[in-house]
């Protein structure tokens, strides 16, 4: 999660919402790491989770990341949650909950839907205070 938080801080410095994500293999080696790039790329799908899933899939030559974990600083939105299911991520670790835009423990709870064919193990609240503080500071500076 330390690397995901570093990616979130870098995203914030670029003017992006500070969300960072990392994909690791079963041994814990980092396969992909990035932060949000929505504004930079003018791409509504350039969420940190989507970017690292794409990079990891390309690096491994497979759209399925069965033995891989995703670490992200904020609860994934519904779009990202569905991509996580499609990628067959083994375990999702996230920091801060997202009551307004989350799609895992809040909102539509994608993994609990009968149409969701893969449900990763979910570990929530990792370094939650730090992840939430990054987001709070970012949005307070814009008000």
């Amino acid at each position: 999660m330390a690397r995901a938080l570093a990616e979130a801080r870098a995203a914030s410095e670029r003017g992006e919402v500070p969300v960072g994500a990392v994909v690791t293999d079963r041994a814990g080696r980092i396969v992909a790491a990035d932060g949000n790039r929505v504004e930079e790329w003018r791409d509504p799908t350039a969420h940190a989770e989507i970017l690292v899933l794409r990079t990891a899939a390309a690096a491994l030559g497979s759209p399925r990341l069965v033995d891989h974990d995703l670490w992200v600083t904020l609860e994934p939105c519904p779009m990202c949650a569905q991509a996580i299911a499609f990628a067959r991520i083994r375990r999702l670790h996230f920091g801060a909950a997202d009551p307004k835009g989350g799609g895992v423990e809040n909102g539509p709870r994608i993994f609990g839907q009968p149409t969701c064919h893969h449900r990763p193990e979910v570990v929530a609240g990792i370094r939650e205070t730090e992840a939430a503080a990054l987001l709070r500071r970012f949005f307070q500076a814009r008000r």
Side-chain angles (χ1 to χ4, degrees):
M1 187 59 82
R3 177 66 184 274
L5 286 161
E7 294 292 342
R9 285 188 289 277
S12 181
E13 290 171 10
R14 293 190 301 271
E16 300 282 352
V17 173
V19 177
V22 174
V23 171
T24 58
D25 65 15
R26 195 177 267 285
R29 291 181 295 256
I30 294 174
V31 177
D34 211 338
N36 277 355
R37 294 186 182 273
V38 172
E39 302 301 327
E40 178 185 357
W41 293 357
R42 293 166 177 70
D43 178 354
T45 69
H47 291 197
E49 301 94 308
I50 300 294
L51 300 178
V52 297
L53 291 174
R54 287 177 181 161
T55 300
L60 299 166
S62 173
R64 284 169 287 288
L65 307 172
V66 177
D67 288 325
H68 292 77
D69 291 358
L70 176 64
W71 302 77
V72 62
T73 58
L74 181 65
E75 175 184 356
C77 72
M79 172 184 71
C80 293
Q82 192 63 63
I84 291 163
F86 287 150
R88 308 293 194 266
I89 286 292
R90 178 178 69 131
R91 188 175 295 126
L92 166 65
H93 309 261
F94 72 84
D98 188 353
K100 290 182 181 178
V104 176
E105 291 187 342
N106 292 285
R109 300 179 182 198
I110 296 297
F111 304 141
Q113 298 300 317
T115 54
C116 184
H117 299 295
H118 174 76
R119 293 164 183 83
E121 180 183 340
V122 176
V123 181
I126 299 171
R127 296 179 72 170
E128 179 175 14
T129 303
E130 188 176 353
L134 276 171
L135 289 157
R136 253 190 320 281
R137 282 193 302 273
F138 177 83
F139 287 111
Q140 284 173 346
R142 275 150 181 72
R143 289 186 187 135

